[in-house]
Amino acid sequence: NAGVTQTPKFQVLKTGQSMTLQCAQDMNHNSMYWYRQDPGMGLRLIYYSASEGTTDKGEVPNGYNVSRLNKREFSLRLESAAPSQTSVYFCASSASGTSYFYYEQYFGPGTRLTVT
Amino acid sequence: RKEVEQDPGPFNVPEGATVAFNCTYSNSASQSFFWYRQDCRKEPKLLMSVYSSGNEDGRFTAQLNRASQYISLLIRDSKLSDSATYLCAVNIDNAGNMLTFGGGTRLMVKP
């Protein structure tokens, strides 16, 4: 099992350009997440998808859109990149549902994005 | 007050030492707690879940103190390879779908 995979690993964009970050998991997990990690800010949730067909905003959704393409794939789109979106982006997945017990999240290797 | 707080460190300890980190959380209704390890320029990797009764995995022990709203991670007999940043994570919603991460505590184990 590959676990959680992300593409691309690195990307440089100019301000105003758009791009889509791809994420896929092969663990048959219901829930998927997108985070960004900035120095001194820790991991912050951008969007998540509790199950196929649903998406919800996290802490910092502005400037992003997401698509839960199917159970395996969850993409993050930057429509008009800004320098403030320079960050490391991590995708994660978990076997979450609606029950109230422990939900361990597993992370992909990340995408390092620079917006100039 | 941040929802999940950690001392950023760094904690500099010699090999073989015992070191402990705490992580405080603000939501008394939180039910799910985790410790992650993150190496430089890598993704966070799940180290251990934290159960109500506490749990141990080799040299690592995690504990939960609900009354004071913190979790702890104890590392015994530190190895050079334990050098990393340790992140705590706490669920903030009733369904457990959303985790809030602390900023991480950096550990450096010296020979």
Side-chain angles (χ1 to χ4, degrees), chain B residues 19-54:
Chain B
V19 62
F21 314 131
N22 284 344
C23 165
T24 59
Y25 61 94
S26 61
N27 186 350
S28 59
S30 294
Q31 294 290 332
S32 303
F33 309 90
F34 307 95
W35 282 104
Y36 283 80
R37 171 195 169 123
Q38 186 172 27
D39 293 294
C40 189
R41 300 178 72 84
K42 298 287 190 181
E43 73 272 24
K45 291 190 175 173
L46 182 68
L47 183 64
M48 12 188 359
S49 301
V50 186
Y51 305 131
S52 296
S53 54

CSV table of all heavy atoms in Angstrom, one decimal, chain B residues 19-54:
chain,number,residue,atom,x,y,z
B,19,VAL,N,12.8,12.5,28.8
B,19,VAL,CA,12.3,13.8,28.5
B,19,VAL,C,10.8,13.7,28.4
B,19,VAL,O,10.2,12.7,28.0
B,19,VAL,CB,12.9,14.4,27.2
B,19,VAL,CG1,12.6,13.5,26.0
B,19,VAL,CG2,12.5,15.8,27.0
B,20,ALA,N,10.1,14.7,28.8
B,20,ALA,CA,8.6,14.7,28.8
B,20,ALA,C,8.1,16.0,28.2
B,20,ALA,O,8.7,17.1,28.5
B,20,ALA,CB,8.1,14.6,30.2
B,21,PHE,N,7.1,15.9,27.4
B,21,PHE,CA,6.4,17.1,26.8
B,21,PHE,C,5.0,17.1,27.2
B,21,PHE,O,4.4,16.1,27.3
B,21,PHE,CB,6.4,17.0,25.3
B,21,PHE,CG,7.7,16.7,24.6
B,21,PHE,CD1,7.8,15.7,23.7
B,21,PHE,CD2,8.9,17.3,25.0
B,21,PHE,CE1,9.0,15.3,23.1
B,21,PHE,CE2,10.1,17.0,24.4
B,21,PHE,CZ,10.1,16.0,23.4
B,22,ASN,N,4.5,18.3,27.4
B,22,ASN,CA,3.0,18.4,27.7
B,22,ASN,C,2.4,19.2,26.6
B,22,ASN,O,3.0,19.9,25.8
B,22,ASN,CB,2.8,19.2,29.0
B,22,ASN,CG,3.1,18.4,30.2
B,22,ASN,OD1,3.1,17.1,30.1
B,22,ASN,ND2,3.2,19.0,31.3
B,23,CYS,N,1.1,19.0,26.5
B,23,CYS,CA,0.2,19.7,25.5
B,23,CYS,C,-1.1,20.0,26.1
B,23,CYS,O,-1.8,19.1,26.6
B,23,CYS,CB,0.1,18.8,24.3
B,23,CYS,SG,-1.2,19.2,23.1
B,24,THR,N,-1.4,21.3,26.2
B,24,THR,CA,-2.7,21.7,26.8
B,24,THR,C,-3.7,21.9,25.8
B,24,THR,O,-3.4,22.4,24.7
B,24,THR,CB,-2.5,22.9,27.7
B,24,THR,OG1,-2.0,24.0,26.9
B,24,THR,CG2,-1.5,22.7,28.8
B,25,TYR,N,-5.0,21.6,26.1
B,25,TYR,CA,-6.1,21.9,25.2
B,25,TYR,C,-7.2,22.6,25.9
B,25,TYR,O,-7.4,22.5,27.1
B,25,TYR,CB,-6.6,20.5,24.5
B,25,TYR,CG,-7.1,19.5,25.5
B,25,TYR,CD1,-8.5,19.5,25.8
B,25,TYR,CD2,-6.2,18.6,26.2
B,25,TYR,CE1,-9.0,18.5,26.7
B,25,TYR,CE2,-6.7,17.7,27.1
B,25,TYR,CZ,-8.1,17.7,27.4
B,25,TYR,OH,-8.5,16.8,28.3
B,26,SER,N,-8.0,23.3,25.1
B,26,SER,CA,-9.0,24.2,25.7
B,26,SER,C,-10.4,23.6,25.7
B,26,SER,O,-11.2,24.1,26.6
B,26,SER,CB,-9.0,25.6,25.0
B,26,SER,OG,-9.3,25.4,23.7
B,27,ASN,N,-10.7,22.7,24.9
B,27,ASN,CA,-12.1,22.2,24.8
B,27,ASN,C,-12.2,21.0,25.7
B,27,ASN,O,-11.7,19.9,25.4
B,27,ASN,CB,-12.4,21.8,23.3
B,27,ASN,CG,-13.8,21.4,23.1
B,27,ASN,OD1,-14.5,21.2,24.0
B,27,ASN,ND2,-14.2,21.2,21.8
B,28,SER,N,-13.0,21.2,26.8
B,28,SER,CA,-13.1,20.1,27.7
B,28,SER,C,-13.9,18.9,27.2
B,28,SER,O,-13.9,17.8,27.7
B,28,SER,CB,-13.9,20.6,29.0
B,28,SER,OG,-15.1,21.1,28.6
B,29,ALA,N,-14.6,19.1,26.0
B,29,ALA,CA,-15.4,18.0,25.4
B,29,ALA,C,-14.5,17.2,24.5
B,29,ALA,O,-15.0,16.2,23.9
B,29,ALA,CB,-16.6,18.6,24.7
B,30,SER,N,-13.3,17.5,24.3
B,30,SER,CA,-12.4,16.8,23.3
B,30,SER,C,-12.3,15.3,23.8
B,30,SER,O,-12.2,15.0,25.0
B,30,SER,CB,-11.1,17.4,23.3
B,30,SER,OG,-11.1,18.7,22.7
B,31,GLN,N,-12.3,14.4,22.8
B,31,GLN,CA,-12.3,13.0,23.2
B,31,GLN,C,-11.1,12.2,22.5
B,31,GLN,O,-10.8,11.1,22.9
B,31,GLN,CB,-13.6,12.3,22.7
B,31,GLN,CG,-14.8,12.8,23.5
B,31,GLN,CD,-14.8,12.3,24.9
B,31,GLN,OE1,-14.2,11.2,25.2
B,31,GLN,NE2,-15.4,13.0,25.8
B,32,SER,N,-10.6,12.8,21.5
B,32,SER,CA,-9.5,12.1,20.7
B,32,SER,C,-8.2,12.9,20.8
B,32,SER,O,-8.2,14.1,20.6
B,32,SER,CB,-9.9,11.9,19.2
B,32,SER,OG,-11.1,11.2,19.1
B,33,PHE,N,-7.1,12.1,21.1
B,33,PHE,CA,-5.8,12.8,21.4
B,33,PHE,C,-4.7,12.0,20.7
B,33,PHE,O,-4.8,10.7,20.8
B,33,PHE,CB,-5.6,12.9,22.9
B,33,PHE,CG,-6.7,13.5,23.6
B,33,PHE,CD1,-7.7,12.8,24.2
B,33,PHE,CD2,-6.7,14.9,23.8
B,33,PHE,CE1,-8.7,13.3,24.9
B,33,PHE,CE2,-7.8,15.5,24.5
B,33,PHE,CZ,-8.8,14.7,25.1
B,34,PHE,N,-3.8,12.6,20.1
B,34,PHE,CA,-2.7,11.9,19.4
B,34,PHE,C,-1.4,12.7,19.6
B,34,PHE,O,-1.4,13.9,19.7
B,34,PHE,CB,-3.1,11.9,17.9
B,34,PHE,CG,-4.4,11.3,17.6
B,34,PHE,CD1,-5.5,12.2,17.4
B,34,PHE,CD2,-4.6,9.9,17.5
B,34,PHE,CE1,-6.8,11.7,17.1
B,34,PHE,CE2,-5.9,9.4,17.2
B,34,PHE,CZ,-6.9,10.3,17.1
B,35,TRP,N,-0.3,11.9,19.5
B,35,TRP,CA,1.0,12.4,19.3
B,35,TRP,C,1.5,12.1,17.9
B,35,TRP,O,1.4,10.9,17.5
B,35,TRP,CB,1.9,11.9,20.4
B,35,TRP,CG,1.8,12.6,21.7
B,35,TRP,CD1,1.1,12.1,22.8
B,35,TRP,CD2,2.2,13.9,22.1
B,35,TRP,NE1,1.2,13.0,23.8
B,35,TRP,CE2,1.8,14.1,23.4
B,35,TRP,CE3,2.9,14.9,21.4
B,35,TRP,CZ2,2.1,15.3,24.1
B,35,TRP,CZ3,3.2,16.1,22.1
B,35,TRP,CH2,2.8,16.3,23.4
B,36,TYR,N,2.1,13.0,17.2
B,36,TYR,CA,2.7,12.8,15.9
B,36,TYR,C,4.2,13.2,16.0
B,36,TYR,O,4.6,14.1,16.8
B,36,TYR,CB,2.1,13.7,14.9
B,36,TYR,CG,0.8,13.2,14.4
B,36,TYR,CD1,-0.4,13.4,15.1
B,36,TYR,CD2,0.7,12.5,13.2
B,36,TYR,CE1,-1.6,12.9,14.6
B,36,TYR,CE2,-0.6,12.0,12.7
B,36,TYR,CZ,-1.7,12.2,13.5
B,36,TYR,OH,-2.9,11.8,13.0
B,37,ARG,N,5.0,12.6,15.2
B,37,ARG,CA,6.4,13.0,15.1
B,37,ARG,C,6.6,13.5,13.7
B,37,ARG,O,6.1,13.0,12.7
B,37,ARG,CB,7.3,11.7,15.3
B,37,ARG,CG,8.7,11.9,14.9
B,37,ARG,CD,9.5,10.6,14.8
B,37,ARG,NE,10.8,10.9,14.2
B,37,ARG,CZ,11.9,10.6,14.8
B,37,ARG,NH1,11.9,9.9,16.0
B,37,ARG,NH2,13.1,10.9,14.3
B,38,GLN,N,7.3,14.6,13.6
B,38,GLN,CA,7.6,15.2,12.3
B,38,GLN,C,9.1,15.5,12.2
B,38,GLN,O,9.7,16.3,13.0
B,38,GLN,CB,6.8,16.5,12.1
B,38,GLN,CG,7.0,17.1,10.7
B,38,GLN,CD,6.1,18.2,10.3
B,38,GLN,OE1,5.7,19.0,11.2
B,38,GLN,NE2,5.7,18.4,9.1
B,39,ASP,N,9.7,14.8,11.2
B,39,ASP,CA,11.1,15.1,10.9
B,39,ASP,C,11.2,16.3,10.0
B,39,ASP,O,10.3,16.6,9.3
B,39,ASP,CB,11.8,13.9,10.3
B,39,ASP,CG,11.9,12.7,11.3
B,39,ASP,OD1,12.6,12.9,12.3
B,39,ASP,OD2,11.2,11.7,11.1
B,40,CYS,N,12.4,16.9,9.9
B,40,CYS,CA,12.6,18.1,9.1
B,40,CYS,C,12.2,17.9,7.7
B,40,CYS,O,12.7,16.9,7.0
B,40,CYS,CB,14.0,18.6,9.3
B,40,CYS,SG,14.3,20.2,8.5
B,41,ARG,N,11.3,18.7,7.1
B,41,ARG,CA,10.9,18.7,5.7
B,41,ARG,C,10.2,17.4,5.4
B,41,ARG,O,10.2,17.0,4.2
B,41,ARG,CB,12.1,18.9,4.8
B,41,ARG,CG,12.8,20.2,5.1
B,41,ARG,CD,14.0,20.4,4.2
B,41,ARG,NE,13.6,20.7,2.8
B,41,ARG,CZ,13.2,21.8,2.3
B,41,ARG,NH1,13.2,22.9,3.0
B,41,ARG,NH2,12.9,22.0,1.0
B,42,LYS,N,9.6,16.7,6.4
B,42,LYS,CA,8.8,15.5,6.1
B,42,LYS,C,7.4,15.7,6.6
B,42,LYS,O,7.1,16.7,7.3
B,42,LYS,CB,9.5,14.3,6.8
B,42,LYS,CG,10.8,14.0,6.3
B,42,LYS,CD,10.8,13.4,5.0
B,42,LYS,CE,12.2,12.8,4.6
B,42,LYS,NZ,12.2,12.2,3.3
B,43,GLU,N,6.6,14.7,6.3
B,43,GLU,CA,5.2,14.8,6.8
B,43,GLU,C,5.1,14.3,8.3
B,43,GLU,O,5.9,13.5,8.7
B,43,GLU,CB,4.3,13.9,5.9
B,43,GLU,CG,4.4,12.4,6.1
B,43,GLU,CD,5.5,11.8,5.2
B,43,GLU,OE1,6.4,12.6,4.8
B,43,GLU,OE2,5.3,10.6,5.0
B,44,PRO,N,4.1,14.8,9.0
B,44,PRO,CA,3.8,14.2,10.3
B,44,PRO,C,3.5,12.8,10.3
B,44,PRO,O,2.7,12.3,9.4
B,44,PRO,CB,2.6,15.0,10.8
B,44,PRO,CG,2.6,16.3,10.0
B,44,PRO,CD,3.1,15.9,8.7
B,45,LYS,N,4.0,12.0,11.2
B,45,LYS,CA,3.7,10.6,11.2
B,45,LYS,C,3.2,10.2,12.6
B,45,LYS,O,3.7,10.7,13.6
B,45,LYS,CB,5.0,9.7,11.0
B,45,LYS,CG,5.5,9.9,9.5
B,45,LYS,CD,6.5,8.9,9.2
B,45,LYS,CE,6.9,9.0,7.7
B,45,LYS,NZ,8.0,8.2,7.3
B,46,LEU,N,2.1,9.5,12.6
B,46,LEU,CA,1.4,9.1,13.9
B,46,LEU,C,2.4,8.3,14.8
B,46,LEU,O,2.9,7.3,14.4
B,46,LEU,CB,0.2,8.3,13.6
B,46,LEU,CG,-0.6,7.9,14.8
B,46,LEU,CD1,-1.3,9.1,15.4
B,46,LEU,CD2,-1.7,6.9,14.4
B,47,LEU,N,2.6,8.9,16.0
B,47,LEU,CA,3.4,8.2,16.9
B,47,LEU,C,2.6,7.3,17.8
B,47,LEU,O,2.8,6.1,18.0
B,47,LEU,CB,4.2,9.2,17.8
B,47,LEU,CG,5.2,8.7,18.8
B,47,LEU,CD1,6.3,7.9,18.1
B,47,LEU,CD2,5.7,9.9,19.6
B,48,MET,N,1.5,7.9,18.5
B,48,MET,CA,0.6,7.1,19.3
B,48,MET,C,-0.7,7.9,19.5
B,48,MET,O,-0.7,9.1,19.5
B,48,MET,CB,1.2,6.8,20.7
B,48,MET,CG,2.4,7.4,21.1
B,48,MET,SD,3.2,6.9,22.7
B,48,MET,CE,2.2,5.6,23.4
B,49,SER,N,-1.7,7.1,19.6
B,49,SER,CA,-3.0,7.7,20.1
B,49,SER,C,-2.9,7.7,21.7
B,49,SER,O,-2.1,6.9,22.3
B,49,SER,CB,-4.2,6.8,19.7
B,49,SER,OG,-4.2,6.7,18.3
B,50,VAL,N,-3.6,8.6,22.3
B,50,VAL,CA,-3.6,8.7,23.7
B,50,VAL,C,-4.9,8.3,24.3
B,50,VAL,O,-6.0,8.9,24.0
B,50,VAL,CB,-3.3,10.2,24.2
B,50,VAL,CG1,-3.1,10.2,25.7
B,50,VAL,CG2,-2.1,10.7,23.4
B,51,TYR,N,-4.9,7.2,25.1
B,51,TYR,CA,-6.2,6.7,25.6
B,51,TYR,C,-6.4,7.2,27.0
B,51,TYR,O,-5.4,7.6,27.7
B,51,TYR,CB,-6.1,5.1,25.6
B,51,TYR,CG,-5.8,4.6,24.2
B,51,TYR,CD1,-4.9,3.6,24.0
B,51,TYR,CD2,-6.5,5.0,23.1
B,51,TYR,CE1,-4.6,3.1,22.8
B,51,TYR,CE2,-6.3,4.5,21.8
B,51,TYR,CZ,-5.3,3.5,21.7
B,51,TYR,OH,-5.1,3.0,20.4
B,52,SER,N,-7.6,7.1,27.5
B,52,SER,CA,-7.9,7.6,28.8
B,52,SER,C,-7.1,7.0,29.9
B,52,SER,O,-6.7,7.7,30.9
B,52,SER,CB,-9.4,7.3,29.1
B,52,SER,OG,-10.2,8.0,28.2
B,53,SER,N,-6.8,5.7,29.7
B,53,SER,CA,-6.0,5.0,30.8
B,53,SER,C,-4.5,5.2,30.6
B,53,SER,O,-3.8,4.6,31.4
B,53,SER,CB,-6.4,3.5,30.8
B,53,SER,OG,-6.2,3.0,29.5
B,54,GLY,N,-4.1,5.9,29.6
B,54,GLY,CA,-2.7,6.0,29.3
B,54,GLY,C,-2.2,4.8,28.5
B,54,GLY,O,-2.8,3.8,28.6
